[in-house]
Amino acid sequence: MTNVGTRKSTADLLQEAAHAAGDAENRSFKRSLSALHLVTLGIGGVIGAVLLLVLPAGAFKAIVPVLIVLALLMVVFGPRLTARLADTKHEASTEVTARLWAATLGTGVYGGYFGAAQGVLLMGFLGLLLAEPLQRQNALKNILTGLVNFVAAI
């Protein structure tokens, strides 16, 4: 039993759930979440929020259409890209790779700066680079985008 005043992080709660289930797959997912959580929240969201504060308003007006087109392209061409990558030697990993870190960082910056369609971009990258079921990818996306939005709002 925990004290009422004790706060637990999302990663702690996931670790407890994985431990209770005794499932190695859940523990691996928790490790992936923790690593991505730090990159997205700690670096990407802060960078995006700072850019929003320091860049002139004209920059926002110029950058936003590009970000929207990027998100649109990911939605339209994401399934084709996934199919094309399936025909190559590309394999998604259950571990956090450098590509996944970079994609998550970029998505965190995007989310901290603009926010719209951040979840779409993140799901596209997670689908390409993380070998987890869609439900886990969606849960990870929800946690990470929520954390980025929280940090950017502060």
Side-chain angles (χ1 to χ4, degrees):
M1 183 171 231
T2 60
N3 295 336
V4 175
T6 304
R7 292 187 180 179
K8 293 185 179 186
S9 71
T10 304
D12 290 338
L13 293 173
L14 284 173
Q15 183 178 20
E16 286 179 9
H19 180 69
D23 186 69
E25 188 175 320
N26 285 336
R27 285 191 294 274
S28 172
F29 180 68
K30 182 258 168 195
R31 283 191 302 273
S32 296
L33 173 65
S34 295
L36 287 171
H37 169 305
L38 292 173
V39 170
T40 304
L41 176 65
I43 301 170
V46 172
I47 291 171
V50 168
L51 288 174
L52 182 61
L53 294 174
V54 296
L55 291 176
F60 186 80
K61 288 180 181 180
I63 293 170
V64 166
V66 173
L67 297 178
I68 291 172
V69 168
L70 177 67
L72 176 65
L73 291 173
M74 187 67 131
V75 170
V76 171
F77 295 109
R80 291 181 194 159
L81 181 58
T82 301
R84 180 173 275 179
L85 286 174
D87 295 336
T88 68
K89 293 181 181 181
H90 166 79
E91 286 188 31
S93 173
T94 56
E95 299 299 319
V96 178
T97 62
R99 286 181 181 164
L100 186 56
W101 273 71
T104 305
L105 174 64
T107 306
V109 173
Y110 174 98
Y113 185 79
F114 182 55
Q118 176 191 7
V120 173
L121 288 174
L122 192 53
M123 282 299 291
F125 289 129
L126 292 176
L128 290 173
L129 302 171
L130 188 63
E132 292 287 349
L134 184 61
Q135 293 83 359
R136 287 189 180 186
Q137 291 177 11
N138 192 46
L140 182 59
K141 182 254 323 175
N142 289 339
I143 291 168
L144 293 176
T145 56
L147 292 171
V148 168
N149 291 332
F150 176 75
V151 166
I154 293 176

